[in-house]
Amino acid sequence: MSEAVPLPIQMSDAAANKVKALIAEEENPNLKLRVYITGGGCSGFQYGFTFDESSNDGDTVIEKNGIVMVVDAMSLQYLVGGTVDYVEGLEGSRFLVTNPNATSTCGCGSSFSI
């Protein structure tokens, strides 16, 4: 009996359900949530979220509740062990990443440093 390989990055049920709702609105079942890292933000790196119809060579593909999330190899190295979540609060509704690799984050939670 083989053990399940732990995923390098997780997606919460709340995030999967929100992505599912957004894809339904777009009426395009081929859409995938792409999570990526860019330089910038007040802490050095910034999280990005977009929809993509395709996955690229080297992408890590994660499925949850019928939703596909893709992460490119460069971004994944900064996200290993993290969780993509969706929260609704006083600051508004947004996707965010709980990232154990971040040594500091900004107040808005959208940028971090390693």
Side-chain angles (χ1 to χ4, degrees), residues 52-114:
D52 199 338
E53 286 192 9
S54 61
S55 55
N56 303 321
D57 286 346
D59 279 351
T60 295
V61 178
I62 293 162
E63 292 189 46
K64 172 144 190 183
N65 300 353
I67 298 304
V68 177
M69 176 173 66
V70 293
V71 184
D72 66 89
M74 193 285 295
S75 297
L76 186 64
Q77 66 186 336
Y78 298 108
L79 296 169
V80 170
T83 302
V84 174
D85 199 4
Y86 180 77
V87 295
E88 296 181 22
L90 295 174
E91 301 86 34
S93 304
R94 61 196 162 111
F95 287 100
L96 60 84
V97 177
T98 305
N99 188 347
N101 304 302
T103 55
S104 66
T105 59
C106 66
C108 64
S110 65
S111 72
F112 68 101
S113 62
I114 299 287

Side-chain angles (χ1 to χ4, degrees), residues 11-23:
M11 180 190 300
S12 72
D13 286 334
N17 291 337
K18 183 60 178 180
V19 171
K20 190 177 283 188
L22 291 170
I23 289 173

